[in-house]
Amino acid sequence: ILYLFTDSRTGLLMSVCSLAMFVLMKYAKPLQGNKWVYLLGILFIVGAVAFSVFMAKYSIHHPFVRKIDDYLSNLSKKLPNNKIYFIALEGRCCSGKTTLTKNIKNASVIHADDFFSNTSEPLDFNRLKNVLLNLEPNKINTYEIFNCMSKNINDAYSFKKTDILKKIVIVEGVYSYHEAIRDIYDEVIYINSSDNQLQRLLNRCNGNSDLYNKFINIWIPREELYFNSFDFIKNASIII
């Protein structure tokens, strides 16, 4: 039951193998009473648990997660407890920003997409800025988000709670380092990758051709203008 609440494939393997061993021991009478079989079973379970713990702590879901998490860990030790250090995580659509932040342990994450604007502006920068400036470290924070996929504007707004906020807050998403809120940040990390972008975009759209066409014909060209307006390569503290 424990592994139903985790992503531990090692735990699942251990559970399946343990069940197989139980069935084998129950119905294979020649093995019953053989102390070496029991000893090997115990060693297997202990080894599987140790391996699971090791992989949970050190496995790399993204080639740069460990590098960035170590960097954030060292940075966090130098920061005062009452100050939030803001980092923008920028990169083109479907470049892997959200996937990267899902595996980062040493920072809290705010998603720029939660501040989608239903106007000519790509994001509601005033609301995003207000949320960032009012975040409190070492506390659970609540803020309003906008679901751009909602078909009903009246149902589009809801509230999101953070975990206990860490000293480092990463705002991930296109336009997170827009000039309208750039002064808030202490640094920017830039993902300079567009490999397999169209395939990931197709997966994100989940077969919705209208949504895919909006990305291709409207949103991505607009994003290109944004990325061409600022030298992220020159100004980023880390380039992935």
Side-chain angles (χ1 to χ4, degrees), residues 54-66:
F54 177 84
M55 291 301 293
K57 183 173 179 61
Y58 295 106
S59 64
I60 300 176
H61 302 278
H62 186 284
F64 299 97
V65 169
R66 184 72 183 277

Side-chain angles (χ1 to χ4, degrees), residues 182-195:
R182 195 169 293 161
D183 60 316
I184 288 180
Y185 294 105
D186 296 285
E187 62 179 278
V188 57
I189 295 174
Y190 181 59
I191 299 182
N192 185 31
S193 171
S194 58
D195 293 344

Side-chain angles (χ1 to χ4, degrees), residues 65-79 85-87 100-101 103-109 166-170 187 189 237-238:
V65 169
R66 184 72 183 277
K67 173 185 175 182
I68 291 179
D69 230 14
D70 286 346
Y71 169 74
L72 296 175
S73 177
N74 293 329
L75 176 62
S76 181
K77 295 173 184 177
K78 302 174 184 177
L79 299 174
Y85 191 90
F86 290 107
I87 298 176
L100 178 61
T101 55
N103 298 297
I104 286 177
K105 300 176 182 178
N106 292 302
S108 296
V109 178
K166 296 180 173 63
K167 291 187 286 185
I168 300 174
V169 171
I170 293 177
E187 62 179 278
I189 295 174
S237 56
I238 297 177

Side-chain angles (χ1 to χ4, degrees), residues 108-141:
S108 296
V109 178
I110 302 290
H111 301 286
D113 286 350
D114 287 340
F115 297 87
F116 181 84
S117 174
N118 205 29
T119 66
S120 58
E121 291 289 342
L123 298 179
D124 188 339
F125 294 111
N126 288 332
R127 190 161 60 86
L128 174 56
K129 189 172 186 176
N130 184 60
V131 166
L132 296 180
L133 291 176
N134 286 282
L135 290 175
E136 297 183 79
N138 305 310
K139 292 184 179 181
I140 294 175
N141 290 253

